[in-house]
């Protein structure tokens, strides 16, 4: 009796374990093959997994071709997109038919994207057609991965490579974490931002390695409560900041940046006269008011003599700007300088260069 009772308990436990384990939807079960196009297989696997709580869509090691795909929620419960292999986007622009995203995750709660795999945008052909440096109303190229209206989710241990445009774009997201994400493209590219955040909140980017030739992280309108921690950035334009905390980041060979600088041009910068590609007029001053901005504990080397540049709008001068404990040496002969326009920052601690030695 005791032996039979023990066997019954073990069987029950095994049954409960198998019931609670997440169901795996392998794209190969839907016809996917390495080096083949898996667009239809992935779409079917996602639809099936989305209807099951606690499920996982798996793409195992190997290289796969993938067309445009939207992985749409809401799903029955938590869902994981586990990419272990490499996904390759169509190399030609015509395949996208004017669409602005390659892989789109949309309207999902409790999403996990993981697996150590690669989203390869194969952007080499598209970069030659990027005329945004010459034309204001230029054609928008596809983004590698879009997260639209994603909540309470995590993206970890994945790579975005050679996107045709931005690598990762967030729109309307809340409580989304990025951990151990790698984003890479040649350093001479433009409009290949690493992570662009728009109209989102509670975004955490931690232990990322980003080098794309453009902004490593850019913050758009309507965004708040962003934390960037332990991010290696460069080559590129650094971190373009709205309302954001940057903690323990390292920027190398970038044009703009914060925290620890390694041969960075314009390491501390507010520029309300910014005019991309000289395609605008500076006759009308910016009407955007900048306030409550702090630059603290920033050290390293600058590739430009002007290490601190605070240029605010003459229409609405900056207020409550704090500059504290700055130590930036010029990587060459000479000493770093600073410029202040339409701003009177509160200054404390070490100041190298002396702040606001040049006022315009």
């Amino acid at each position: 009796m005791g032996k039979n009772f023990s066997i019954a308990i073990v069987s029950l436990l095994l049954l409960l374990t198998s019931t609670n384990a997440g169901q795996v939807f392998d794209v190969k079960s839907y016809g996917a093959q390495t080096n083949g196009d898996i667009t239809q297989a992935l779409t079917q696997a996602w639809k099936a997994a989305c209807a099951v709580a606690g499920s996982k869509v798996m793409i195992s090691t190997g290289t796969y071709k993938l067309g445009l795909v939207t992985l749409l929620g809401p799903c029955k419960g938590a869902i994981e997109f586990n990419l272990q292999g490499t996904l390759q986007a169509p190399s030609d622009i015509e395949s996208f038919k004017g669409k602005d995203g390659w892989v789109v995750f949309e309207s999902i709660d409790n999403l996990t994207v993981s697996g150590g795999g690669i989203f390869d945008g194969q952007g080499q052909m598209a970069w030659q057609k990027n005329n945004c440096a010459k034309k204001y109303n230029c054609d928008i190229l596809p983004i590698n991965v879009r997260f639209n209206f994603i909540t309470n989710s995590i993206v970890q241990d994945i790579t975005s490579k050679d996107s045709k445009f931005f690598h990762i774009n967030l729109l309307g997201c809340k409580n989304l974490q990025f951990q151990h994400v790698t984003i890479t493209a040649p350093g001479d590219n433009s409009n290949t931002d690493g992570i662009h955040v728009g109209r989102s909140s509670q975004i955490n980017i931690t232990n990322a390695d980003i080098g794309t030739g453009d902004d490593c992280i850019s913050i758009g309108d309507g965004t708040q409560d962003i934390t960037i921690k332990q991010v290696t950035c460069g080559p590129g334009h650094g971190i373009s900041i709205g309302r954001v905390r940057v903690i323990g980041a390292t920027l190398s060979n970038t044009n703009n940046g914060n925290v620890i600088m390694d041969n960075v041009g314009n390491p501390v910068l507010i520029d309300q006269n910014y005019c991309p590609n000289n395609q605008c007029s500076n006759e009308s001053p910016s009407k955007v008011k900048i306030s409550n901005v702090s630059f603290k504990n920033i050290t390293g080397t600058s590739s430009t003599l002007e290490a601190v540049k605070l240029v605010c709008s003459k229409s609405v001068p900056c207020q409550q700007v704090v500059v504290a404990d700055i130590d930036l040496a010029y990587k060459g002969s000479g000493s770093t300088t600073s410029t202040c326009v339409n701003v009177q920052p509160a200054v404390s601690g070490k100041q190298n260069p002396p702040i606001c030695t040049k006022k315009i």
Side-chain angles (χ1 to χ4, degrees), residues 30-43:
Y30 294 83
Q33 297 181 352
T34 54
N35 300 312
D37 189 315
I38 68 166
T39 307
Q40 184 175 354
L42 175 57
T43 301

Side-chain angles (χ1 to χ4, degrees), residues 108-139:
I108 307 166
D109 186 54
N110 282 313
L111 168 70
T112 298
V113 178
S114 63
I118 300 171
F119 294 91
D120 183 356
Q122 298 202 110
Q124 292 84 352
M125 290 177 58
W127 299 332
Q128 301 172 13
K129 299 180 181 181
N130 186 344
N131 61 351
C132 291
K134 300 177 181 178
K135 185 178 179 182
Y136 183 74
N137 293 316
C138 56
D139 295 331

Side-chain angles (χ1 to χ4, degrees), residues 23 32-33 60 68 87 90 92 114 137 186 201 235 241 261 269 297 318 330 333 356:
Q23 189 171 345
Q33 297 181 352
S60 56
L68 284 74
L87 298 178
D92 62 298
S114 63
N137 293 316
S201 62
I241 299 172
M261 308 297 172
L269 174 68
N297 301 313
C318 297
Y330 177 54
S333 58
C356 296

Side-chain angles (χ1 to χ4, degrees), residues 203-225:
I203 308 300
N204 290 271
I205 303 170
T206 306
N207 293 310
D209 190 348
I210 307 174
T212 67
D214 211 292
D215 291 345
C216 295
I217 300 169
S218 57
I219 312 298
D221 66 292
T223 298
Q224 59 183 348
D225 195 12

Side-chain angles (χ1 to χ4, degrees), residues 47-70:
K47 184 176 181 180
C50 191
V52 178
S55 59
K56 176 192 292 186
V57 175
M58 188 174 74
I59 303 172
S60 56
T61 56
T63 300
Y64 308 86
K65 301 183 187 306
L66 180 68
L68 284 74
V69 63
T70 297

